[in-house]
Amino acid sequence: MADPEMVEGAALARVLRQAGGAEILNTLGVRLSGSDLVTLLLAAFRTRAGFLTPADVLRRYTEDRFVAPAQAGFRRLRRAEDLLLSAIPDAYELLALAPVAPLGTHSVVAGVNQNNVLATVRGSEVAADPTNGLALEAALRRRELLARNGRSAPVVRLATLQRVIRAQRFAEAGRFAHFSLLALVTAGRDTGNLAFERRHCGEQLSILCAALEAAGFSTIEVALTVLEPAAAPIAEAARSALADRPKVVVRDDPDRSGGRGYYTGWCFKISVVLHGERVEFGDGGFVDWTRRLIGNRKERLLISALSVDRLAMALD
């Protein structure tokens, strides 16, 4: 299989030759102001749309993986959403996020490859992960709370259900171009001795496990990964928080490769055993996003998410 970066490089070189040379990329990407670029792109897409016929639109609908209906039916998705929402405590404020986020939300804040995000001609991008949007809102609220209350600013807990789009192609079964996620974020201040981390890791994991228990799964597996030796007490706190849940099996996953460089200190995966096979349903951990967004090294952020579509397709 060809290297995607090599294919992209060759394709970009071909396009730049047709467009008159590499200078056009500098003009579009750097020299034009954001508003001028939007004006140009709107005109380009308006012109392109003017040449389309209804047959062209229908053909694109049959070919474009981003616009096809979800594989899980609406009623199944709604049932899964209701089950998940039933486990969210009142301490978490449920938000209805916008379907788009500022350009760079996923690549600048979360380090995601910009090619894996569906950008718009108006200087925004389609949501690819609800935890990114929640992180922006959490950072805004924490900044305001810190300005009013200083070190005593309260913790911010937010949750949402959002349908997102990811542009990368997945080969595995159960991977879709667009899907819904339940997401949780908890933002607060480092109070020393990993107190924030130890408390809130157990809180979020308990919520996610309660949601899957409500869906009727008899075996739920939580895999804990310590990314830095100093974060070992977080894993111990997570294990302790789940000790009274007989359906939950907790194991260590020191060899996990995914998420390194994305999460900081500690992370986890949550799966269910379905027809004798382990199926991954969720993921989470600590990230440095609010710390960088606010410019305060004391800020801490825990994120997590569960797949609504996978749950919907697993329900009887």
Side-chain angles (χ1 to χ4, degrees):
M1 180 179 294
D3 185 332
E5 292 188 2
M6 293 181 62
V7 172
E8 178 191 339
L12 178 59
R14 173 181 56 78
V15 172
L16 290 177
R17 286 195 299 271
Q18 294 183 35
E23 181 58 25
I24 191 172
L25 189 61
N26 186 58
T27 299
L28 296 176
V30 180
R31 290 174 55 190
L32 286 181
S33 68
S35 60
D36 287 348
L37 178 61
V38 169
T39 299
L40 177 62
L41 293 176
L42 286 174
F45 278 90
R46 184 170 63 247
T47 301
R48 185 174 291 271
F51 287 97
L52 297 175
T53 67
D56 293 328
V57 175
L58 182 60
R59 181 174 63 254
R60 182 59 183 268
Y61 178 73
T62 64
E63 297 173 351
D64 190 340
R65 63 195 174 95
F66 295 124
V67 303
Q71 293 188 33
F74 180 87
R75 287 185 174 84
R76 278 178 173 256
L77 284 170
R78 184 54 184 268
R79 182 185 170 198
E81 289 175 349
D82 289 342
L83 285 168
L84 293 173
L85 289 176
S86 70
I88 306 300
D90 292 339
Y92 282 79
E93 182 180 347
L94 278 164
L95 299 183
L97 293 179
V100 295
L103 182 67
T105 293
H106 302 86
S107 61
V108 176
V109 177
V112 174
N113 189 320
Q114 187 64 39
N115 286 353
N116 295 335
V117 182
L118 195 63
T120 79
V121 298
R122 293 185 182 271
S124 57
E125 55 195 36
V126 179
D129 189 326
T131 62
N132 297 160
L134 290 179
L136 292 178
E137 181 64 23
L140 186 62
R141 296 188 183 198
R142 282 290 299 167
R143 187 175 66 183
E144 294 173 351
L145 289 167
L146 286 167
R148 291 201 303 265
N149 305 299
R151 294 183 178 182
S152 61
V155 168
V156 172
R157 295 177 175 89
L158 301 174
T160 193
L161 281 167
Q162 187 178 41
R163 196 147 195 92
V164 300
I165 286 182
R166 293 185 184 171
Q168 66 264 49
R169 291 187 177 274
F170 296 106
E172 300 94 333
R175 300 276 189 160
F176 320 114
H178 63 87
F179 47 90
S180 294
L181 293 171
L182 168 75
L184 307 174
V185 304
T186 308
R189 180 181 176 83
D190 173 27
T191 55
N193 198 32
L194 296 175
F196 176 90
E197 291 87 345
R198 289 186 290 110
R199 174 184 176 184
H200 295 289
C201 72
E203 181 181 87
Q204 282 200 18
L205 276 170
S206 294
I207 293 170
L208 299 179
C209 288
L212 293 176
E213 287 172 347
F217 295 111
S218 58
T219 304
I220 301 163
E221 182 179 282
V222 176
L224 308 177
T225 300
V226 175
L227 301 172
E228 303 167 8
I234 305 175
E236 295 172 7
R239 190 182 297 274
S240 176
L242 299 174
D244 61 349
R245 293 185 176 275
K247 293 182 179 180
V248 178
V249 177
V250 181
R251 67 178 180 89
D252 294 322
D253 186 16
D255 298 324
R256 170 177 173 169
S257 57
R260 295 180 183 272
Y262 184 85
Y263 293 115
T264 62
W266 171 88
C267 59
F268 68 88
K269 286 186 177 182
I270 186 167
S271 308
V272 302
V273 176
L274 192 61
H275 307 305
E277 296 185 3
R278 183 188 301 134
V279 180
E280 184 180 326
F281 268 43
D283 193 71
F286 289 94
V287 291
D288 65 358
W289 304 345
T290 49
R291 185 170 69 206
R292 292 190 291 116
L293 285 165
I294 298 175
N296 186 328
R297 63 184 182 84
K298 286 290 190 177
E299 287 298 299
R300 299 291 183 265
L301 182 68
L302 173 62
I303 66 171
S304 61
L306 282 180
S307 172
V308 180
D309 288 59
R310 289 192 180 185
L311 174 58
M313 297 183 75
L315 294 174
D316 294 330

